[in-house]
């Protein structure tokens, strides 16, 4: 089975969030099940600067783009049984960022990512590799499904191709002005509420939801939540209409990348049977963030995009009381200016309580998973969330808002039976967050049951093996020949 992944980011080449981790790991597991997986990714400047060993497989091709030809080429890279095909179009992708800068999104993102999907489909044709499945992720890949239907609908090359669209985050919709359709070679008639129109704009996300053969999202709970007005971002009606083709498949982890027993990015290694390395990591983390080591009081870590979704405003509101509980908080994050300002101000008020690093830094992220005792994820919504799964493996106990994939991966610790792997709170409010944190801090003081909790956490298994099987089953269902 030949599967073409389309993703706007992929670890370790370009990453701003969990999509990169999924695109970087799921294909490996699919390929181990015998699938032929090829991932299409834009050739960003940061990819070019990695000086990978690359083979140019398509040179000097052209896409007809609003009446004029735009050239591109395709560069191929092999890694772990997966073929990565980079779409090289310098005008669109040779920039020092993926989507935008502090000033906002790039104004031509609609053209950039539509071009990426068009050129990816053209590359499949140029290489004569008709895919059985086109599996696109998020709005950046969603125009592929509109092209497959309206541009290649009669093309025998794609006649047997079936498609899957995975929504990693419904809030990011790829909204552009009406004129974008003509500029990217899609029929103007799609500007209709039954097509891609969404409150006066064009929604790329709708192209995925409407035109892919099946739609999935990254946890069972989120797949139900997005069919409600509260979590649907205006698309819940459409998603309810597609509910028979809507699947919730939990993301997984590649424990080769995320494992305290082998991790080279942390100062000492450790496993469930010997946690002395974790104590070294904790001391080093506190030193790095200039925070005092207070024996007996837990360190709370956060590794997060600084965006409304992630509930940092709730943390800021709760911070004074949190610190009175005796915890120290360490935050690594990058993102929206107002949240950065908010946290920086809080940091100046509480220099020995709050540690803050505003950056995207893979090594520091590993340090926090390894060195913290508790890991806070107070999201307002969370399609899956990978950070709580990584934290579990490093013995940092998640305290999470019960939503989406957080609901599906964390079970409240029950000291009586010793079952559970973390703490959950229900409302996205300072009061509920503090309740959850108080329960966690209370347990932290009880060494015996805390050890049991850490053992449970580190034994929680979210390896891709199971979820890759679920994708495989879905692909099989999609390509099953119709009954005669
Ligand atoms: P999302 O994709 O919504 O940001 P996930 O939990 O799915 O959330 O994935 C986040 C990924 O990005 C994880 O791999 C996490 O370690 C990483 N990450 C988030 N913020 C940072 C940061 N500031 N520095 C390094 N890694 C980060
Ligand atoms: C999105 C979601 C996150 C999910 C990730 C990977 O960025 O916000 O919850 O884990 O995609 O699917």
């Amino acid at each position: 089975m030949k599967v073409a992944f389309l993703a706007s980011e992929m670890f370790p080449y370009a990453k701003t969030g969990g999509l990169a981790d999924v695109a970087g790991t799921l294909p490996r597991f699919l390929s181990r099940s015998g699938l032929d997986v090829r991932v299409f990714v834009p050739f960003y400047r940061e990819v070019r600067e990695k000086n990978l060993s690359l083979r140019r497989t398509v040179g000097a091709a052209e896409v007809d783009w609003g009446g004029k030809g735009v050239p591109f080429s395709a560069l191929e890279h092999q890694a772990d049984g997966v073929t990565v095909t980079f779409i090289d179009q310098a005008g669109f992708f040779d920039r020092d960022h993926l989507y935008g800068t502090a000033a906002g999104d790039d104004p031509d993102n609609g053209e950039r990512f539509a071009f990426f999907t068009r050129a990816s489909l053209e590359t499949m044709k140029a290489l004569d590799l008709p895919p059985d499945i086109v599996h696109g992720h998020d709005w950046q890949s969603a125009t592929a499904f509109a092209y497959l239907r309206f541009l290649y609908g009669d093309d025998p090359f794609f006649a047997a191709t079936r498609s899957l669209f995975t929504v990693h985050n419904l809030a990011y919709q790829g909204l552009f002005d009406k004129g974008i359709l003509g500029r990217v070679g899609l029929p103007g008639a799609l500007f209709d509420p039954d097509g891609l129109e969404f409150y006066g704009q064009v929604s790329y996300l709708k192209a995925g939801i409407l035109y892919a053969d099946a739609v999935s999202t990254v946890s069972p709970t989120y797949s139900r939540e997005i069919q409600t007005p509260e979590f649907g971002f205006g698309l819940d009606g459409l998603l309810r209409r597609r509910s028979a083709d809507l699947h919730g498949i939990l993301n997984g982890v590649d424990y080769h990348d995320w494992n305290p027993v082998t991790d080279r990015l942390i100062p000492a290694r450790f496993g469930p049977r010997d946690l002395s390395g974790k104590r070294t990591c904790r001391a080093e983390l506190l030193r790095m963030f200039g925070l005092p080591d207070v024996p007996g009081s837990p360190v709370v870590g956060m590794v997060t995009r600084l965006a409304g979704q992630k509930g940092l405003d709730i943390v800021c509101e709760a911070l004074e009381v949190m610190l009175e509980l005796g915890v120290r908080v360490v935050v690594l994050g990058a993102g929206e200016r107002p949240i950065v300002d908010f946290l920086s101000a809080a940091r100046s008020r509480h220099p020995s309580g709050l540690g803050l690093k505003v950056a995207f830094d893979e090594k520091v992220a590993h340090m926090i998973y390894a060195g913290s005792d508790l890991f806070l994820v107070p999201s307002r919504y969370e399609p899956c969330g990978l950070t709580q799964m990584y934290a579990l493996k490093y013995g940092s106990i998640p305290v999470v808002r019960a939503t989406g994939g957080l609901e599906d991966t964390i079970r409240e610790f029950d000291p009586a039976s010793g079952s559970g792997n973390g703490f959950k709170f229900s409302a996205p409010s300072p009061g509920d967050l503090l309740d959850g944190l108080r329960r966690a801090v209370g347990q932290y003081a009880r060494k015996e049951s805390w050890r049991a909790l850490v053992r449970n956490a580190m034994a929680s298994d979210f390896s891709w093996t199971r979820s890759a099987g679920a994708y495989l089953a879905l692909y099989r269902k999609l390509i099953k020949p119709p009954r005669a």
Side-chain angles (χ1 to χ4, degrees), residues 402-424:
T403 184
L406 300 169
E407 170 71 24
D408 294 340
T409 52
I410 303 304
R411 275 180 309 120
E412 178 79 19
F413 180 62
D414 172 15
S417 66
S419 69
N421 60 4
F423 300 90
K424 287 203 270 202

Side-chain angles (χ1 to χ4, degrees), residues 89-160:
Q89 208 308 315
F92 282 143
F93 303 121
D94 189 13
R95 302 183 185 179
D96 62 4
H97 52 265
L98 272 55
Y99 311 122
T101 60
D105 288 345
D106 285 5
D108 60 348
N109 273 353
E111 284 86 347
R112 295 174 74 214
F113 290 99
F115 185 90
F116 160 61
T117 67
R118 246 325 272 295
S120 299
L121 295 167
E122 285 297 321
T123 299
M124 299 171 205
K125 293 190 69 168
L127 298 177
D128 195 24
L129 290 168
D132 297 293
I133 297 283
V134 168
H135 185 172
H137 301 263
D138 277 352
W139 71 263
Q140 293 92 335
S141 300
T143 43
F145 306 97
Y147 289 131
L148 283 170
R149 170 144 333 179
F150 298 104
L151 202 69
Y152 300 100
D154 298 323
D155 189 333
F157 183 83
F158 289 111

